[in-house]
């Protein structure tokens, strides 16, 4: 019997806010959990699987276009991508400004650009921004 492909929801950045969102929107779909650390993605995928979701996991570096493209390729193995939830990012208390800009600004921009090319018609994306972004002064 042939496996019927499902709509796919992608969560990049496996924190609590993103998990809460996908618990509301991913039931009956395949849920891809992506995080910088494979062990974090695996743990969250297992917890959501045990809660009744169909899951897979993959390590993804938001600051890398190649890694984002690999996430898309992995996700498309399960069906058509219909949703993206991005809770990934770093704050000024976690990393130097160069890393914050590479991940939060460049990475999010590339994520939206590349997923915009493949997301199912009528699909949607949610980008969770950092509450600490206002802590930085204007950049030169």
């Amino acid at each position: 019997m042939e496996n019927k492909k499902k709509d796919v929801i992608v969560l990049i950045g496996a924190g609590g806010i993103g998990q809460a969102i996908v618990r509301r929107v991913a039931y009956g779909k395949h849920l891809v959990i992506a995080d910088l650390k494979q062990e974090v993605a695996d743990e969250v995928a297992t917890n959501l699987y045990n809660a009744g979701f169909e899951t897979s996991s993959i390590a993804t570096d938001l600051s890398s276009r190649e890694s984002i493209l690999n996430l898309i390729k992995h996700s498309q193995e399960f069906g058509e991508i219909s949703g993206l939830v991005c809770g990934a990012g770093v704050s000024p208390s976690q990393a130097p400004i160069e890393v914050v800009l590479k991940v939060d600004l460049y990475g999010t921009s590339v994520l939206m650009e590349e997923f915009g090319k493949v997301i199912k018609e009528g699909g949607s994306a949610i980008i969770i921004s950092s509450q600490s972004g206002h802590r930085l002064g204007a950049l030169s």
Side-chain angles (χ1 to χ4, degrees), residues 22-140:
V22 297
R23 282 178 176 271
R24 299 295 300 209
V25 302
Y27 185 76
K29 299 177 174 108
H30 184 87
L31 178 55
V32 175
I33 307 296
D35 196 86
L36 182 61
K37 297 179 180 177
Q38 183 68 54
E39 58 273 13
V40 172
D42 291 343
E43 180 181 348
V44 170
T46 298
N47 290 341
L48 289 166
Y49 175 82
N50 290 335
F53 293 88
E54 180 184 307
T55 62
S56 63
S57 59
I58 185 171
T60 303
D61 180 355
L62 182 57
S63 70
S64 163
R65 183 180 298 268
E66 180 180 345
S67 190
I68 291 168
L69 292 172
N70 190 44
L71 169 60
I72 290 170
K73 181 179 177 185
H74 170 85
S75 301
Q76 290 175 320
E77 291 175 11
F78 302 98
E80 201 168 4
I81 299 168
S82 64
L84 169 67
V85 177
C86 177
V90 293
S91 72
S93 61
Q94 297 173 307
I97 188 63
E98 294 81 12
V99 174
V100 172
L101 291 174
K102 188 171 184 184
V103 173
D104 296 356
L105 183 62
Y106 170 77
T108 301
S109 176
V110 171
L111 186 75
M112 295 297 292
E113 175 188 349
E114 296 298 343
F115 271 82
K117 295 174 184 176
V118 298
I119 200 162
K120 180 179 181 177
E121 185 174 336
S124 61
I126 300 169
I127 306 297
I128 303 162
S129 65
S130 171
Q131 83 282 1
S132 61
H134 70 279
R135 297 187 326 187
L136 292 174
L139 301 174
S140 60

